[in-house]
Amino acid sequence: MLIASFLFFTGLVAALTWWLTHKDDHGSSTGYFLAGRRLGGVVIAGSLLLTNLSTEQLVGLNGDAYKDGLCVMAWEVVSVLALVAMALFFLPRFLKSGIATVPQFLEERFDRGTRDITTVIFLIAYTAILLPIILYTGARGLNGMMDMQKLTGIASETTVVWLTVWIVGIIGSIYALFGGLRTVAVSDTLNGVGLLIGGFMITYYGLAAVGSGAGAIEGYHMLRTAEAARFNSIGGPGQTIPFWTLFSGATLLMFFYWTTNQQIIQRAFAARNLKEGQKGVLLCGALKLLGPMYLVLPGMIAYHLYKGDATFEPVKAYGRLVRDVLPVPLTGFFVAVVVGAILSSYNSALNSATTLFSLGIYKPMFKPDASDHQVVQSGKWFGWIVAVLSMLGAPLLMQTESIFSYLQKMNGLYFIPIFAVVLVGMLCPRVPAIAAKLGLVLGCVIIAAGYFVPPLAEKLKVINGFHFLGLVFVFVIVMMLAIGAIAPRAERWRQNYSGDVDLTPWGGAKPVGVVLVLIVMAIYAWYADFSMLSGS
């Protein structure tokens, strides 16, 4: 029954995706990399949401909630502020240039060298870090939910991880490399509906288990009473995301992720107009407000149910809860949804890597006169090379002690410098290209040194890692502004309108953005207990 329900939902999504996209233009670069600039608000919102969601969030964030309680909701709730900034500030400027990649914008603002450095940073990050981690954590998460070793009869966990990585990797590569961005976006939206339903099912059945037959609502009240101290939006100094880091590196990482990360925002670049792009981004923001209900609350439920086991590992909390509370047929459906989430993150990152390579390296560096067909084909060939490398590298991460700590470090390594350069580029038209190149290189080098050079890493232990990233961000900004003051551009940079996208804004964008910001503040205020900060 589990396998049957899994295969049915997976097959349904594949069939619907093919039916909706098989007549699309997959031959031109605009059609393949930007979905022909045809995406509407609902599809953009669904694709943004599911590209973000994978086993890193389902397993990792619920595992953090098992340890620290409600305060880890910051990764979902505070992200809404970044999405509002994307809709109102960043997206109009990106669409005005008619670009397909963030490095293309930096080339327009600064120069080709800035574009090349940024493209290489993105490609290294996606190929060596992001794609293998998505596949590895996906394989481990599925093994926890389905007990793949028992299901397949394979005794070796390593063998099961290898097998799962290759199956998921091949399927995701087919979606991304044969279908293009619109195929990815449509499948994301369909899986997104399933993920929301499945995520709320876990919460419902989990609360019902807490209520011991009295129902989910009573289970919630019992959980609030029994674990009252853990229902606190304010993170203490020893927790995963201390409150004061929301004013430094933690929030900067969220802002980069939702405003500058190519893997995420490429679907917003494919909006048919600014109005639809803003609708999609803000709808995603509204949906993120629901995130704590299925990405944090299940971890807290698991803590209540399993805290008596001193040997229980938080990272296993979500998989254990799924196995324990869901009926078998629904477990198959939910596993299909989780596979969809893994595929979404994987194929979105792979599609972005091919876009960056084809438009940032192949065409400008190797074949400036390449036809649209040649550009698309170069992306597909490069994509298969990256896919195979990521599938080969993913199981090797089994030797990494803390995969989530590793991912966090690697993200900070390139998130902070790129975000600083994009922000200065948009706000300060006199800052020259040399400042951007130095900001990218020095930012990455300083963060890497702080992470991996032992003497420096030891000294930096006295401050929180998020604060360290915030300090590097400030350094890059100040350095770029200083260079701009000493040796400014001869002429102020003026952004030209490409004419590719209608830039008429959505009339409801600002009111909706204000409402979302107020809701974020209200959520924090409702659950705040500042006594956690005493002694910090």
Side-chain angles (χ1 to χ4, degrees), residues 183-252:
T183 299
V184 170
V186 169
S187 65
D188 286 354
T189 303
L190 295 173
N191 277 310
V193 174
L195 184 67
L196 288 174
I197 295 171
F200 285 120
M201 282 195 316
I202 302 299
T203 303
Y204 172 80
Y205 282 107
L207 290 173
V210 173
S212 301
I217 295 177
E218 182 60 27
Y220 175 76
H221 291 309
M222 293 173 64
L223 186 67
R224 280 297 308 265
T225 302
E227 310 293 348
R230 294 169 57 80
F231 278 85
N232 185 7
S233 59
I234 307 301
Q239 294 185 299
T240 306
I241 180 165
F243 178 70
W244 296 117
T245 65
L246 297 181
F247 300 92
S248 61
T251 297
L252 288 173

Side-chain angles (χ1 to χ4, degrees), residues 65-284:
Y66 183 96
K67 293 185 295 182
D68 293 335
L70 189 65
C71 66
V72 302
M73 73 173 188
W75 294 114
E76 291 297 298
V77 177
V78 178
S79 290
V80 176
L81 304 181
L83 283 159
V84 171
M86 176 62 176
L88 300 182
F89 178 78
F90 290 91
L91 186 60
R93 287 162 175 77
F94 284 137
L95 292 183
K96 185 175 182 178
S97 293
I99 56 170
T101 70
V102 172
Q104 285 180 328
F105 173 80
L106 292 177
E107 178 181 22
E108 179 185 324
R109 168 59 184 87
F110 294 109
D111 63 4
R112 177 173 170 173
T114 307
R115 180 205 68 195
D116 293 344
I117 294 171
T118 312
T119 299
V120 170
I121 291 172
F122 268 127
L123 285 176
I124 291 173
Y126 289 169
T127 303
I129 301 167
L130 183 60
L131 286 166
I133 287 177
I134 290 171
L135 290 177
Y136 171 71
T137 55
R140 292 298 299 268
L142 287 175
N143 192 27
M145 292 177 197
M146 296 181 70
D147 194 359
M148 296 285 287
Q149 289 168 262
K150 181 178 179 181
L151 193 66
T152 60
I154 300 173
S156 169
E157 182 182 14
T158 302
T159 303
V160 169
V161 169
W162 273 95
L163 180 64
T164 309
V165 160
W166 279 85
I167 292 173
V168 172
I170 289 171
I171 295 172
S173 300
I174 291 171
Y175 267 108
L177 301 178
F178 286 109
L181 182 62
R182 187 163 185 267
T183 299
V184 170
V186 169
S187 65
D188 286 354
T189 303
L190 295 173
N191 277 310
V193 174
L195 184 67
L196 288 174
I197 295 171
F200 285 120
M201 282 195 316
I202 302 299
T203 303
Y204 172 80
Y205 282 107
L207 290 173
V210 173
S212 301
I217 295 177
E218 182 60 27
Y220 175 76
H221 291 309
M222 293 173 64
L223 186 67
R224 280 297 308 265
T225 302
E227 310 293 348
R230 294 169 57 80
F231 278 85
N232 185 7
S233 59
I234 307 301
Q239 294 185 299
T240 306
I241 180 165
F243 178 70
W244 296 117
T245 65
L246 297 181
F247 300 92
S248 61
T251 297
L252 288 173
L253 291 178
M254 294 181 227
F255 267 72
F256 169 88
Y257 188 87
W258 291 104
T259 67
T260 316
N261 188 4
Q262 180 70 31
Q263 176 207 6
I264 294 293
I265 64 174
Q266 187 171 332
R267 53 269 307 120
F269 291 169
R272 65 171 65 105
N273 51 50
L274 175 59
K275 184 183 297 184
E276 289 300 310
Q278 289 179 320
K279 288 179 181 178
V281 171
L282 291 171
L283 176 57
C284 179

